[in-house]
Amino acid sequence: MSSAASRPLVPETFQTRVVAARMLGPRVRHLTFERTDGQPFVFDAGQWVQLIFPLQDEKGRAIRRSYSVASAPDSSPRFELAVTKVEAGPGSTFLHDVAVGTSLDVKGPAGTFTRPLESAAPSLFIATGTGVAPFRGMVRQALAAGRTEPLWLLFGVRAPDELLFGDELTALAAQHPNFRFLPSLSRPPADWTGRDGYVQTHVKALWSELTATHPNAHAYICGVKKMLLATREVLRTELGVDRKQVHLEAYD
Ligand SMILES: Cc1cc2nc3c(=O)[nH]c(=O)nc-3n(C[C@H](O)[C@H](O)[C@H](O)COP(=O)(O)OP(=O)(O)OC[C@H]3O[C@@H](n4cnc5c(N)ncnc54)[C@H](O)[C@@H]3O)c2cc1C
């Protein structure tokens, strides 16, 4: 359901408090924020927020970084983020060290990497690392709304301990036959029996399988540019998919 009607036209800046934090994998921290004014945080699944850090760049300006919302809209003042720690990166290091209870200014929501529920097409979601964040929100929202179109999530990481939200996504797939959780490991352990290699090596087969019965399917790709460009190349150049059916969100 689109919530644009109840949202200010210009993203607002509001104060939040960190209310929960836990490690999701060796380099990823899951943070829950809550608006301190108690107002609902209104957004569409897939959108991002900008965090305004109490840190300054060399020109004395507050450092700001964007993060996809990893939770589904639920009309509460809360939202969740999943943050990869980047070596010597000020924003991600701050978020990995920040204590529960800390206040932080946030601007948002923003972004058009969304999937309107009422017109939702069968979808192949493709992510690496924390690129899974917007898809967790989209999938949880769609399944909670009783949607039955195919929702396939191809998720690439190096090793099993990096499969963010892996148990939750596996459980959702077991409960909802239209949702397929398709992890692929680039450095699989010897006993791994699932997909391996980079996500782009699986896109052709999965897209062909999905569009054999659902030619109106859309592909959503999220993560770092290197993966994004390689995956878009497969879809647009090798498979000739229309650009209106391919949606991208780049983190770098
Ligand atoms: C629309 C949007 C949504 C984003 N959503 C998320 C998100 O949900 N989770 C998240 O962790 N990051 C996300 N990012 C990236 C985030 O905004 C920051 O760039 C990141 O946290 C690094 O900031 P930094 O200050 O620590 O390091 P910086 O010094 O600003 O960045 C150092 C380098 O890190 C690389 N980098 C940025 N993000 C990643 C990443 N996720 N994995 C590996 N390398 C990266 C970039 O190439 C950059 O050159 C998003 C970016 C955009 C534009």
Side-chain angles (χ1 to χ4, degrees):
M1 189 177 64
S2 175
S3 40
S6 47
R7 180 185 323 137
L9 288 175
V10 176
E12 55 172 340
T13 301
F14 51 92
Q15 193 191 49
T16 64
R17 190 178 301 115
V18 178
V19 293
R22 68 180 173 122
M23 290 305 287
L24 274 183
R27 293 190 312 134
V28 178
R29 196 174 192 210
H30 183 207
L31 294 151
T32 305
F33 292 80
E34 186 173 78
R35 287 181 68 124
T36 53
D37 60 9
Q39 293 297 308
F41 176 59
V42 181
F43 68 104
D44 290 328
Q47 287 195 299
W48 46 271
V49 290
Q50 192 178 60
L51 268 51
I52 305 167
F53 295 102
L55 307 168
Q56 293 182 346
D57 63 16
E58 61 286 354
K59 290 185 179 152
R61 294 171 306 205
I63 290 181
R64 296 162 177 250
R65 296 287 184 268
S66 305
Y67 296 92
S68 299
V69 179
S71 44
D74 64 359
S75 306
S76 81
R78 293 189 174 201
F79 62 93
E80 301 168 30
L81 305 180
V83 180
T84 301
K85 186 163 185 177
V86 169
E87 203 58 47
S92 62
T93 300
F94 180 92
L95 290 173
H96 272 249
D97 294 341
V98 73
V100 170
T102 304
S103 297
L104 208 57
D105 285 339
V106 173
K107 187 175 179 188
T112 55
F113 189 69
T114 55
R115 182 178 172 274
L117 263 197
E118 58 272 23
S119 60
S123 300
L124 175 60
F125 304 115
I126 304 156
T128 49
T130 35
V132 75
F135 301 140
R136 178 181 182 241
M138 291 183 198
V139 166
R140 286 176 60 132
Q141 183 189 40
L143 296 178
R147 303 294 311 189
T148 55
E149 68 274 12
L151 304 167
W152 296 5
L153 172 56
L154 175 60
F155 182 27
V157 293
R158 280 174 295 194
D161 63 352
E162 296 179 340
L163 281 172
L164 317 174
F165 307 112
D167 290 345
E168 173 190 311
L169 294 166
T170 302
L172 281 175
Q175 289 158 22
H176 301 272
N178 60 318
F179 174 52
R180 288 177 71 187
F181 178 48
L182 309 161
S184 185
L185 304 184
S186 59
R187 292 184 202 163
D191 59 352
W192 176 253
T193 54
R195 284 178 175 74
D196 59 29
Y198 291 134
V199 287
Q200 52 268 34
T201 62
H202 302 295
V203 167
K204 207 168 174 172
L206 288 171
W207 184 257
S208 302
E209 188 186 341
L210 180 61
T211 53
T213 45
H214 298 87
N216 60 334
H218 283 229
Y220 293 81
I221 317 167
C222 184
V224 288
K225 251 184 216 136
K226 200 172 161 200
M227 178 282 286
L228 228 68
L229 297 177
T231 305
R232 185 179 64 176
E233 175 76 10
V234 175
L235 287 163
R236 299 270 295 112
T237 310
E238 286 185 40
L239 295 168
V241 181
D242 192 285
R243 89 186 145 75
K244 291 200 194 82
Q245 287 170 266
V246 180
H247 310 267
L248 308 172
E249 185 82 294
Y251 278 5
D252 57 347

